[in-house]
């Protein structure tokens, strides 16, 4: 993680205790889950998708859409819930999305989504907890 101070901070040991090994790899080491592997990809109930690392509400279900990519996709996050940075890994330049509260890696945002925003927040499902309404 970078030197940015987040409202929720934990030691590496605390993160490893709180998260599954897959969540730790994705959220703390900037990994990616296998496409189509998360049950939240098919979640259609009304509710909120929250950060699995700190429980911060991130995305409302009304802006979730099927992108065909194999990852949960959203038009827009809840206000102030995520931050972005430039990711130059893997020979690409992408915009990384991370939780504004704990800094955990969530996924990436791309400019190829549907209206109203034209954005596609492509999020690793294991980085999310679904809270039904």
């Amino acid at each position: 993680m970078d030197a940015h101070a987040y409202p929720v901070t934990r030691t590496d040991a605390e993160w490893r205790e709180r998260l599954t090994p897959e969540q730790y790899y994705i959220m703390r080491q900037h990994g990616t889950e296998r496409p189509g592997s998360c049950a939240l990809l098919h979640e259609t109930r009304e509710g909120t998708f929250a950060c699995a690392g700190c429980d911060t509400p991130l995305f409302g279900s009304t802006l979730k859409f099927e992108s065909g990519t194999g990852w949960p996709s959203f038009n827009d996050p809840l206000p102030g819930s995520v931050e972005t940075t430039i990711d130059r890994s893997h020979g690409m330049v992408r915009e990384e999305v991370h939780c504004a509260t704990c800094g955990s890696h969530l996924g990436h945002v791309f400019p190829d989504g549907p209206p109203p925003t034209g954005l596609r927040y492509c999020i690793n499902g294991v980085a999310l907890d679904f809270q039904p309404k």
Side-chain angles (χ1 to χ4, degrees), residues 6 48-51 54 56-60 76-84 97-104 106 121:
Y6 293 97
T48 303
F49 294 85
C51 176
C54 68
T56 296
L58 302 173
F59 298 95
D76 212 12
L78 297 173
S81 65
V82 303
E83 295 175 343
T84 61
V97 178
H98 53 272
C99 176
T101 303
C102 72
S104 290
L106 302 171
Y121 284 80

Side-chain angles (χ1 to χ4, degrees), residues 36-51:
S37 65
C38 181
L40 289 183
L41 176 63
H42 306 290
E43 179 59 67
T44 59
R45 295 176 291 171
E46 189 174 341
T48 303
F49 294 85
C51 176

Side-chain angles (χ1 to χ4, degrees), residues 22 49 60 63 66 76 106-107 131:
E22 184 181 25
F49 294 85
L63 291 181
E66 175 51 58
D76 212 12
L106 302 171
Q131 301 164 345

Side-chain angles (χ1 to χ4, degrees), residues 3-126:
H4 178 73
Y6 293 97
V8 170
T9 58
R10 295 183 169 86
T11 66
D12 189 62
E14 290 169 331
W15 282 117
R16 287 179 186 276
E17 185 177 311
R18 178 177 177 93
L19 303 173
T20 68
E22 184 181 25
Q23 287 173 320
Y24 182 86
Y25 167 68
I26 290 166
M27 299 175 75
R28 306 310 299 172
Q29 297 181 316
H30 299 257
T32 300
E33 69 190 358
R34 197 175 75 253
S37 65
C38 181
L40 289 183
L41 176 63
H42 306 290
E43 179 59 67
T44 59
R45 295 176 291 171
E46 189 174 341
T48 303
F49 294 85
C51 176
C54 68
D55 303 320
T56 296
L58 302 173
F59 298 95
S61 61
T62 58
L63 291 181
K64 183 176 183 284
F65 65 94
E66 175 51 58
S67 65
T69 62
W71 290 278
S73 297
F74 303 87
N75 281 118
D76 212 12
L78 297 173
S81 65
V82 303
E83 295 175 343
T84 61
T85 55
I86 298 301
D87 175 3
R88 297 182 188 280
S89 65
H90 307 292
M92 298 179 273
V93 177
R94 300 176 290 172
E95 194 170 356
E96 178 189 349
V97 178
H98 53 272
C99 176
T101 303
C102 72
S104 290
H105 171 77
L106 302 171
H108 292 87
V109 61
F110 301 97
D112 60 1
T117 66
L119 298 175
R120 174 175 54 94
Y121 284 80
C122 188
I123 306 299
N124 290 286
V126 299

